Amino acid sequence: MTQTALAGAGAAGTETDAPAKPVRTARPRPAAKPHGQWKVDGKAPLNPVEAWKQEDDGLSVRHRIETIYSKQGFESISDDDLHGRFRWWGLYTQRKQGIDGGKTASLEPHELEDSYLMMRVRTDGGKLTTEQLRVIGQISVDFARNTADLTNRQNIQFHWIEVEDVPEIWRRLEAVGLQTTEACGDVPRGMLGSPVAGIAKAEIIDPTDFLQEIRDRFIGSPQFSNLPRKYKTSITGYPDHDTIHEINDISFVGVRHPELGPGYDLWVGGGLSTAPRLAQRVGVFVPPEDGPAVWEGVTSIFRDYGYRRMRNKARLKFLVEDWGAEKFRQVLEDEYLGRKLPDGIAPPKATVNGDHVGVHEQKDGKFFIGAAPFVGRFSGTQMLALADLLEAHGSHRLRTTPLQKVIALDIPKDEVEAVVAGLDEVGLSARPSVFRRNTMACTGIEFCKLAIVNTKDTAIDVIGELEVRLADLVDAGALNEPITLYLNGCPNSCARIQTADIGLKGIVVPADDGGTTGGFQVHLGGGLSSHNREEAGLGRTVRGLKVAIHDLADYVERVIRSYAANKLADE
Ligand code: SF4
C-alpha cells in the first residue's frame, strides 16, 4: 500500500480530531552530476581551473614571462598565471619564511607565499651529462642561493628564484638540452626511467629510445597540455624494478615474452596523495616499437575520459578503478590503437633493492656507483664538485634516481675506490648506513606552502640518532634488508609515505604544555617491489598513533628494535 493511500484512509476513517499526517510523495532523484569527461559530457568547463585552462593554455604563459613578468617584476603577474599556468613551466610560489606550520591551514594561500619561486628542472630518466650538471650547478649558485635538491622523480629543484631571472635560466638550461617544460601542472610531468638504462648487465630491455621519443614528440605539445590533472609515467627494463611502477599513472615494465622477445607489461592507475591506489596490470604485452603509440593511447584516454569536474577525482586512478582493467584494455585497443595487442605476461619478481646504491659492473666492463646524499638535499657547489670529480676519472655521465640517489657511470675498474672516496668528499656516500640509504623526505616547511613540519632537517637528525643508537643491531647483521623511513610535511604524499615501512605524515600534535607542536601521523607496513618486496602494499595508518618531532628518534628506534626482535626468518 502506498503512502498516499494510507494518508487518505486515515483522513476519511478516523474518529479523532488529530490532524492527518502530511502526505509524502516520492521526489524524483536528481540526475547524477557529470564527471566532466570530454568525450561523454562535452568540453564545457565545470570548475574555475578547467575554465582558465581552456581560456588560455598553460604553455602560453612562457611568452608573458619573457616579455612582461620578467621585466615588470613579481607584482605584475596575474593570479591565474602565478597560481596556475606557471606550473606548466615548472614554477611554483615558495613559502614565506618564518611562518609556523601550525598556521598553515588557517592562512590564505597568498599569505603563505613570498615573491620567490621554486623551479623544477625535468631530467627524464634521470639522465645527465657532466656538462649539464655544471650548468645546473652554476644556475644554483648564481640564482638559487645554492639550492638544488634531488627530487624523488629524478628532477632537480631550485628555490629562491626571482621571476626576473627566469629567461636567463631557461637560456642556460636549453643551451645544454635541459628544460622546465611541463615539469609541473596538469600535463605529463617528468618521466621516471630506469637509472641504469642501457648500462645494467641484468637489463631485459633498454628503454632509452622509447623514453626519448615520447619526450621529444609529446612534451610541450598542445596534444597533451590540458589533461584533467597531473600525469606520471615510468618506464624500466630492469628486472629488479627501479621506477616504482606500482604508483605511476602509466608504467611500462620490462618483460621477456616467450615468443615475441623483450617488451613491456603495461600498468595503469597508480597514485598516492590522500587516496592512494596501486596500479593495475592492463593485461597486454607491448612490443618495443609499439611503446610510443600505447603511451599516446593511454594518455589520450586520460585526456578524453578523465574526470575533470572535481579536482580530487581527476587522476587516472579513479577512472581505472571505475572501469577495471578489462574495459580499459578494450577502449585502448578499439578506440585508440585500432588493433589488438598480445596478452601480457607478469614481470619477474624483484630480488634486490632497486636503488642501485654501491659499486656495480656495467655491460661494457666499466662500473657504475650509486651514492646517497641526505634525503635528496644537494647544492650547486656540490654539483660543480661532482662534475669535476667525474671528469677527473674519465666519466661524463650520471643519473639521478626515483629514490633520491645519484649514480656515477662509466668508471674504470681501477678508478672505483678513488671515485668512492671523492663522492664522500662531495657529500655522497656509496656505502651509506641503512638509515641514510632508506630515508626520504619531501620539501617540507622550508619552502612548501602546504607544509606543517620541517621534514628534511628532521630526517637528517633522526638518521644521525639511529646510526648511533642502533649500531648494535647493524653490527649484529640484524638490519640487512632495506627498512624505509619516509617523511611528508603534510597529508599529501610527495615522499610516498604509504609505500614505506615507516611512513610519517606531518600534522600538528598536542604539546606537553597544553598547546600544540609539530609531529607526525604514523603509517606502518608499506612497500614496493623497488624496495625488494615480493608484493607491493600500502602502509596502514596506525589509528591514533601520533608522535611529536622531538620524540621521533625514540619512536623509530622502538619500532625497529621490535621488528628486529620479532621478524620471521624469511621476512
Ligand atoms: Fe609540500 Fe606536503 Fe608535498 Fe611535502 S608532502 S612537499 S609538505 S605538499
Side-chain angles (χ1 to χ4, degrees):
M1 196 175 285
T2 65
Q3 294 273 352
T4 312
L6 276 171
T14 183
E15 292 184 3
T16 73
D17 291 326
K21 287 187 177 171
V23 175
R24 280 206 260 147
T25 51
R27 284 200 198 134
R29 286 192 169 188
K33 285 188 176 171
H35 285 304
Q37 295 168 284
W38 277 1
K39 256 203 168 176
V40 177
D41 306 310
K43 286 193 173 180
L46 299 178
N47 63 47
V49 176
E50 285 298 312
W52 65 248
K53 279 162 64 180
Q54 280 196 31
E55 206 171 279
D56 189 14
D57 192 277
L59 291 170
S60 70
V61 77
R62 175 165 177 149
H63 182 67
R64 289 193 286 285
I65 291 173
E66 290 178 321
T67 58
I68 302 172
Y69 301 145
S70 63
K71 302 198 183 328
Q72 297 180 12
F74 186 83
E75 296 304 325
S76 68
I77 307 170
S78 78
D79 191 59
D80 279 353
D81 282 350
L82 184 62
H83 298 113
R85 299 184 189 92
F86 264 43
R87 296 175 189 190
W88 272 242
W89 290 95
L91 295 160
Y92 281 101
T93 52
Q94 170 173 305
R95 186 186 184 94
K96 193 183 279 181
Q97 299 296 292
I99 297 182
D100 185 78
K103 293 189 178 149
T104 299
S106 60
L107 294 175
E108 293 295 322
H110 71 269
E111 296 176 290
L112 286 161
E113 71 192 13
D114 59 22
S115 60
Y116 294 99
L117 302 168
M118 180 212 87
M119 175 186 267
R120 197 172 286 159
V121 181
R122 66 184 297 153
T123 50
D124 299 275
K127 280 180 67 180
L128 282 170
T129 64
T130 49
E131 182 193 19
Q132 291 171 327
L133 189 68
R134 281 187 195 289
V135 168
I136 295 172
Q138 198 59 51
I139 289 171
S140 164
V141 170
D142 292 347
F143 303 111
R145 302 192 188 180
N146 208 20
T147 59
D149 284 343
L150 307 173
T151 78
N152 58 8
R153 289 198 64 82
Q154 297 177 284
N155 297 312
I156 311 289
Q157 194 164 295
F158 298 128
H159 298 279
W160 299 110
I161 299 294
E162 296 185 68
V163 71
E164 288 86 345
D165 297 324
V166 171
E168 170 62 11
I169 295 172
W170 281 336
R171 189 192 66 72
R172 293 193 194 182
L173 290 172
E174 287 163 6
V176 290
L178 293 168
Q179 56 183 347
T180 67
T181 321
E182 298 185 347
C184 313
D186 296 352
V187 287
R189 295 189 177 186
M191 293 181 274
L192 299 184
S194 171
V196 292
I199 60 166
K201 276 178 146 181
E203 188 170 66
I204 295 170
I205 183 169
D206 179 357
T208 304
D209 292 345
F210 174 13
L211 203 150
Q212 190 68 40
E213 182 175 342
I214 53 177
R215 175 187 149 138
D216 291 349
R217 280 177 55 192
F218 301 115
I219 300 309
S221 154
Q223 188 176 347
F224 295 126
S225 64
N226 182 356
L227 297 177
R229 274 206 67 192
K230 58 187 164 188
Y231 183 67
K232 297 181 176 179
T233 300
S234 90
I235 308 176
T236 184
Y238 182 70
D240 287 307
H241 304 172
D242 50 4
T243 57
I244 53 168
H245 62 275
E246 301 100 328
I247 53 168
N248 279 262
D249 294 281
I250 177 170
S251 290
F252 295 83
V253 185
V255 291
R256 203 179 303 279
H257 194 285
E259 285 103 43
L260 302 170
Y264 299 96
D265 190 49
L266 177 64
W267 297 54
V268 294
L272 293 178
S273 195
T274 51
R277 300 286 187 281
L278 293 174
Q280 299 184 32
R281 291 184 58 221
V282 177
V284 295
F285 174 77
V286 182
E289 62 276 14
D290 288 340
V294 171
W295 187 90
E296 183 180 11
V298 171
T299 311
S300 301
I301 289 177
F302 182 44
R303 178 195 59 204
D304 299 341
Y305 285 104
Y307 303 151
R308 291 173 184 259
R309 183 171 66 85
M310 293 168 65
R311 296 284 292 168
N312 62 359
K313 292 281 179 200
R315 292 290 299 276
L316 182 63
K317 61 188 173 185
F318 296 105
L319 182 69
V320 170
E321 188 169 64
D322 289 349
W323 278 9
E326 200 177 321
K327 176 170 177 183
F328 198 95
R329 175 178 181 172
Q330 176 243 312
V331 173
L332 173 66
E333 292 176 333
D334 295 352
E335 293 186 31
Y336 290 90
L337 296 177
R339 63 198 154 89
K340 298 290 180 196
L341 290 166
D343 287 343
I345 57 169
K349 300 279 187 200
T351 57
V352 298
N353 191 344
D355 67 2
H356 303 299
V357 166
V359 178
H360 309 268
E361 191 172 1
Q362 300 180 180
K363 280 178 188 173
D364 62 3
K366 291 183 178 172
F367 286 77
F368 69 86
I369 305 173
F374 281 103
V375 292
R377 177 164 281 169
F378 219 50
S379 70
T381 45
Q382 283 175 294
M383 287 184 167
L384 295 171
L386 179 59
D388 287 346
L389 172 74
L390 297 186
E391 288 177 2
H393 294 277
S395 166
H396 297 272
R397 298 193 297 165
L398 65 152
R399 304 270 167 86
T400 56
T401 86
L403 297 172
Q404 291 182 327
K405 308 291 184 287
V406 175
I407 304 177
L409 306 188
D410 307 330
I411 308 297
K413 187 175 184 180
D414 53 5
E415 309 266 336
V416 164
E417 283 309 315
V419 173
V420 168
L423 288 169
D424 254 326
E425 285 171 24
V426 173
L428 293 166
S429 176
R431 293 170 185 131
S433 71
V434 63
F435 313 110
R436 178 170 172 179
R437 178 171 179 173
N438 297 302
T439 300
M440 289 205 304
C442 74
T443 300
I445 205 164
E446 283 174 284
F447 300 114
C448 177
K449 287 179 293 181
L450 304 179
I452 296 165
V453 298
N454 185 316
T455 48
K456 287 200 186 283
D457 291 326
T458 303
I460 291 169
D461 288 347
V462 170
I463 290 168
E465 288 282 329
L466 296 177
E467 286 175 346
V468 174
R469 295 181 186 203
L470 295 174
D472 57 321
L473 292 183
V474 173
D475 291 345
L479 297 179
N480 287 336
E481 57 283 332
I483 295 178
T484 47
L485 173 67
Y486 294 172
L487 288 79
N488 277 349
C490 79
N492 288 311
S493 196
C494 302
R496 310 195 287 254
I497 59 162
Q498 300 95 334
T499 70
D501 293 296
I502 304 171
L504 299 165
K505 174 174 80 180
I507 55 170
V508 172
V509 299
D512 295 340
D513 63 3
T516 57
T517 186
F520 295 95
Q521 166 78 60
V522 177
H523 292 245
L524 293 177
L528 300 177
S529 57
S530 300
H531 310 144
N532 192 17
R533 287 296 177 79
E534 280 224 352
E535 296 294 336
L538 298 171
R540 299 219 185 110
T541 304
V542 184
R543 254 187 140 53
L545 184 44
K546 297 168 184 167
V547 54
I549 287 177
H550 55 263
D551 291 331
L552 188 58
D554 289 348
Y555 173 72
V556 177
E557 180 186 357
R558 282 200 303 276
V559 171
I560 295 178
R561 283 198 183 280
S562 170
Y563 164 72
N566 297 303
K567 67 179 175 178
L568 305 174
D570 62 345
E571 195 172 356

